[in-house]
Each structure stands twice: as structure tokens, then as C-alpha cells.
Amino acid sequence: MIKHIKPVIVVHGGAWRIPDEEIQAHLNGIRVALQEGWKILKNGGKGLDAVERSVSVLEDDPTFDAGKGSILNTDGSVEMDASIMDGSNMKAGAVAALRNYPNPVQIARCVMDKTEHILLSGPGCESFAMKHGFHPSPIRELMTERELHRLESVMLDEDFRAEHAFGQKRGTVGVVVLDEQGHIAAATSTGGTPKKIPGRVGDTPIIGAGTYAEDGVGGVSCTGWGEAIMKVMLAKDVAERMRQDVDAQTSAEQSIVILKERVNGLGGLICIDKKGQIGVAYNTPRMARGTMTCEQDDFWVAVE
Ligand code: ASP
């Protein structure tokens, strides 16, 4: 007999000092991403399709640091990282330092589905995308005035360190779901951190650092200072707590303490445990996020 589980989706739009005047745009973006993912889940669709769809919606929204609206490198280029993981079979796909494609998460999915690899980077990844029918966009279509201005100001600031610059940051995006079949999936996408050197890759495309999903354990998507997140393998740290039957919220909070204590990292994460309970924790001033479940039959979104 097939057991139908109540689906759950949780979405984030980055952990940083979101200014008051940008709160509404963040809440709207999260809401649309939730609704798009939920349409798939409520019709019994695959969690993997839901995370890909919701992350794509957020990549298209210039409010967030992913796809269109990505933070610029020191040479003014856009290089994006993304990953996706299917908890039902532990398959994963990821792209790093990808230029000229508006939806990196879709290419990450294609890497997962069509290759024996997990992570493709740079020019090889771009020709892979082209070969699989993705259409490149000129960089000006991914670039916003806002990010051009930010680049000018951070380049003038010799002491600028992304590590401490969460007032200057933008929101990486991520989604975790539990679907009706009981499968867990997670995906994360980012334009990276301000003043990054071309070729820099953060935690987002690293399975176990920025993203993790495993049926019977849980799913996680992280955001924040990638250099710190990678050192503690934050997504896997949360998953290992959930594996020990610690609930999602407690696991999220414990791992954020580890991020701060061990490597002085700033960031946040969302997760779902095997029971479909959600967890959210962050140590930045704000984090954009929201969730939707059958019980509520609607959703909540928040930044505080
Ligand atoms: N974790 C991302 C990176 O380091 C940035 C972010 O989540 O804000 O590239």
C-alpha cells in the first residue's frame, strides 16, 4: 500500500541585514516561490520538481542574490553556484562559477540527471548547458544597477571583507521539501558574496555544505558566509543531528551555534526532518523565509 505523506515546503531568500524598505519585496518573492512549489506538491508531484521550480522563480526575481540580481565579481562579471539533491536516491547535481545562464539550478538538475558527475564548473559547465538546450543570456540581463553601484562602492573600500559585510549582502535562495511519497529534496542557488575574485566558489554547490537531502533523515539548505559554512559542512552537520532523532528546529539552532563558535561564521539555514517538521535558524539580523503545509493550507512568510 502506498502511504501518502502530507507535503511540506520551506523556502529561504538569504540571511543578512535586510533593510526595512526591502522587506516587502523579499516577502513577495518568498510567497510566489512557495506557491509555485506548492502547486506541484499538492498535485502529488515530485519534491525534486518542486525545489527546482521554486528556486527558478527566486533566480528570476532580482530581489535575491541568485540568477538575475546576482552580486558581481571584482571584474564586474556574474558567476553563479547552485546545487540540487534528491533524498530518495542520494543523487545530486551542481554547477559552480557559471556565467550567462539565468537559471543555474536547472543546469544543476541536468548535471544530476544526465551525467555521472555531481559538480561541473566554469567553461565546461557552460558548454554542457549549451549542449543540453539551455539558452545563454547576455550578462547585462543578469546584472542590475543596484549591483553595479554596490561593486563601485566595495571596490573603493580597501578594508572590505565579505565575512563582515552582511549589511552589504543579498539573499542567496534555497528550498527544501518533503513530498507526498515521503521523499525529501533540497536545492540552493547564489551569485556568491560581494567583492569575490573571479573563480571563487562558495558553499552553495558543495553537497553537505550548502545543500543536503536524504530520505529518512532530512533536507537542508544553507546561506551565509560560504568560507565558514564549508569548514563546518553546515548542511551535513544539521542532517547528522536529525539522523540522531533531534528535531529539525533544535538541529538548526545547534548547528548555527557551531557555525559561530567554531569558525565565527554568519549565516542561516532551513531544514525539514523525516517527520516533516521544519527548522529555521540564523545569526544575522534578518533572514527571509516562509513555509507551506497541508495543516495550514496557507503559508507564513517572515524576515524577523
Ligand atoms: N553562501 C553563499 C556563498 O558564500 C552566499 C550567501 O548565502 O549569502 O557564496
Side-chain angles (χ1 to χ4, degrees):
M1 193 180 73
I2 298 171
K3 198 171 139 205
H4 288 291
I5 310 272
K6 288 181 179 161
V8 182
I9 179 168
V10 56
V11 169
H12 76 80
W16 63 295
R17 190 175 294 112
I18 303 169
D20 291 347
E21 63 278 14
E22 293 203 31
I23 289 177
Q24 205 49 51
H26 280 77
L27 296 180
N28 292 345
I30 299 285
R31 188 174 297 123
V32 175
L34 283 170
Q35 286 164 339
E36 288 296 309
W38 192 250
K39 275 186 209 161
I40 295 173
L41 292 177
K42 79 167 188 225
N43 293 319
K46 280 176 73 175
L48 201 60
D49 295 332
V51 294
E52 181 185 345
R53 175 72 194 132
S54 293
V55 168
S56 298
V57 165
L58 294 163
E59 288 173 336
D60 292 341
D61 183 339
T63 306
F64 303 99
D65 173 24
K68 186 176 172 61
S70 285
I71 279 172
L72 304 178
N73 288 349
T74 50
D75 65 353
S77 61
V78 172
E79 284 183 344
M80 300 160 290
D81 302 335
S83 61
I84 188 165
M85 187 164 184
D86 181 349
S88 71
N89 53 17
M90 306 286 283
K91 284 181 81 176
V95 297
L98 175 74
R99 297 186 183 212
N100 297 322
Y101 285 89
N103 293 111
V105 72
Q106 296 172 11
I107 303 172
R109 170 85 187 258
C110 189
V111 172
M112 182 180 93
D113 289 343
K114 302 273 167 49
T115 79
E116 57 178 338
H117 307 308
I118 290 183
L119 173 57
L120 294 184
S121 68
C125 184
E126 283 144 31
S127 32
F128 170 83
M130 179 86 90
K131 196 172 141 210
H132 284 84
F134 291 94
H135 298 292
S137 327
I139 183 170
R140 64 174 182 281
E141 283 181 19
L142 301 176
M143 224 180 226
T144 55
E145 282 294 316
R146 177 195 71 217
E147 293 310 322
L148 277 169
H149 287 135
R150 185 199 316 279
L151 180 63
E152 277 164 24
S153 78
V154 297
M155 292 309 279
L156 289 172
D157 179 358
E158 283 182 13
D159 298 327
F160 181 89
R161 296 269 315 271
E163 177 186 348
H164 306 300
F166 275 77
Q168 300 258 18
K169 239 328 252 128
R170 284 264 119 202
T172 287
V173 304
V175 181
V176 183
V177 308
L178 172 69
D179 70 18
E180 214 179 75
Q181 282 72 43
H183 298 315
I184 292 176
T188 315
S189 181
T190 188
T193 50
K195 214 174 180 178
K196 71 183 162 84
I197 297 171
R200 178 267 186 190
V201 173
D203 60 298
T204 302
I206 309 298
I207 297 301
T211 303
Y212 192 74
E214 184 178 342
D215 281 11
V217 174
V220 189
S221 171
C222 301
T223 177
W225 182 38
E227 281 70 8
I229 291 173
M230 285 188 276
K231 286 185 217 163
V232 298
M233 294 301 277
L234 189 60
K236 193 72 190 321
D237 189 86
V238 182
E240 289 312 316
R241 290 170 201 282
M242 295 194 291
R243 192 190 302 280
Q244 303 304 322
D245 285 331
V246 179
D247 66 86
Q249 183 56 33
T250 309
S251 299
E253 287 169 11
Q254 288 177 346
S255 293
I256 286 294
V257 169
I258 294 290
L259 179 70
K260 184 69 187 157
E261 283 183 358
R262 298 267 169 86
V263 290
N264 199 23
L266 287 174
L269 65 92
I270 55 173
C271 57
I272 297 181
D273 62 28
K274 61 181 176 224
K275 293 185 182 152
Q277 306 177 103
I278 68 148
V280 175
Y282 55 100
N283 60 10
T284 49
R286 285 173 169 158
M287 178 171 173
R289 77 271 181 195
T291 187
M292 204 153 183
T293 62
C294 287
E295 264 87 40
Q296 294 160 354
D297 203 30
D298 63 2
F299 50 85
W300 62 259
V301 289
V303 295
E304 301 289 358

